[in-house]
């Protein structure tokens, strides 16, 4: 994944990503929607979907890395969707309920949509990933 820089601009938090040359492609949205490709053998697309699939299986179905975009193999700005949307922070502080990671975490909605659309590919098979149901 590429570099992301965090700063403040007029008291507003901002993130700046390094410029990546080439054509920008959105491979997977944070809502779990998989991008269609005119070339179904596009390795970048297949590998990003395998990466999302792997993250879900490796985390024991607790999270999935989604919202993957970039140019070629230069990828950046992913989102993490969790099987639970919020964590109760009240036990350790007076903060109350907070979203895991950030508001881009569409939780089980993103995970279920990815599972609905994803078709295991040659990379999923090479990694011996289970079929998503």
């Amino acid at each position: 994944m590429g570099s992301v820089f965090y700063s403040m601009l007029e008291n507003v938090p901002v993130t700046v990503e390094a410029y990546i040359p080439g054509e920008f492609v959105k491979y997977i949205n944070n809502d779990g929607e998989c991008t269609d490709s005119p070339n179904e053998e596009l390795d970048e697309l297949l590998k990003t979907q395998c990466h999302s699939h792997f993250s879900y299986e490796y985390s024991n179905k607790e999270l999935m890395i989604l919202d993957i975009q970039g140019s070629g193999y230069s990828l950046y700005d992913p989102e993490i969707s969790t099987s639970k949307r919020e964590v109760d922070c009240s036990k350790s502080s007076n903060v109350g309920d907070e979203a895991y990671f950030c508001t881009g975490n569409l939780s089980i909605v993103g995970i279920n949509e990815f599972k609905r659309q994803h078709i295991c590919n040659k990379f999923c098979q090479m990694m011996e990933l289970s079929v998503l149901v």
Side-chain angles (χ1 to χ4, degrees):
M1 299 291 178
S3 298
V4 177
F5 305 94
Y6 303 94
S7 187
M8 297 291 282
L9 178 63
E10 298 177 4
N11 291 327
V12 176
V14 295
T15 58
V16 178
E17 299 171 18
Y19 174 75
I20 297 176
E23 182 181 347
F24 174 87
V25 179
K26 182 83 159 184
Y27 297 109
I28 304 169
N29 289 311
N30 68 325
D31 65 2
E33 182 180 348
C34 299
T35 304
D36 291 330
S37 169
N39 178 358
E40 297 206 9
E41 292 301 313
L42 182 65
D43 279 355
E44 294 96 323
L45 177 65
L46 298 178
K47 286 180 179 178
T48 56
Q49 288 188 19
C50 177
H51 184 255
S52 294
H53 183 167
F54 171 79
S55 66
Y56 186 65
E57 189 164 315
Y58 187 78
S59 70
N60 294 316
K61 301 180 180 179
E62 292 287 323
L63 62 84
M64 182 181 284
I65 299 173
L66 296 173
D67 199 23
I68 301 175
Q69 58 263 319
S71 177
Y73 291 112
S74 296
L75 306 173
Y76 52 90
D77 196 26
E79 293 282 354
I80 299 174
S81 286
T82 58
S83 58
K84 296 179 182 174
R85 178 74 172 104
E86 295 179 342
V87 58
D88 181 4
C89 297
S90 63
K91 295 177 182 167
S92 60
S93 70
N94 294 326
V95 177
D97 289 342
E98 292 184 3
Y100 277 121
F101 302 107
C102 72
T103 57
N105 174 3
L106 298 184
S107 189
I108 200 70
V109 172
I111 292 171
N112 283 342
E113 184 60 19
F114 179 85
K115 287 168 46 178
R116 189 183 73 75
Q117 289 193 15
H118 175 64
I119 298 170
C120 287
N121 58 57
K122 61 186 178 183
F123 300 108
C124 298
Q125 293 164 357
M126 281 192 280
M127 294 190 69
E128 300 179 352
L129 298 176
S130 303
V131 175
L132 295 174
V133 289

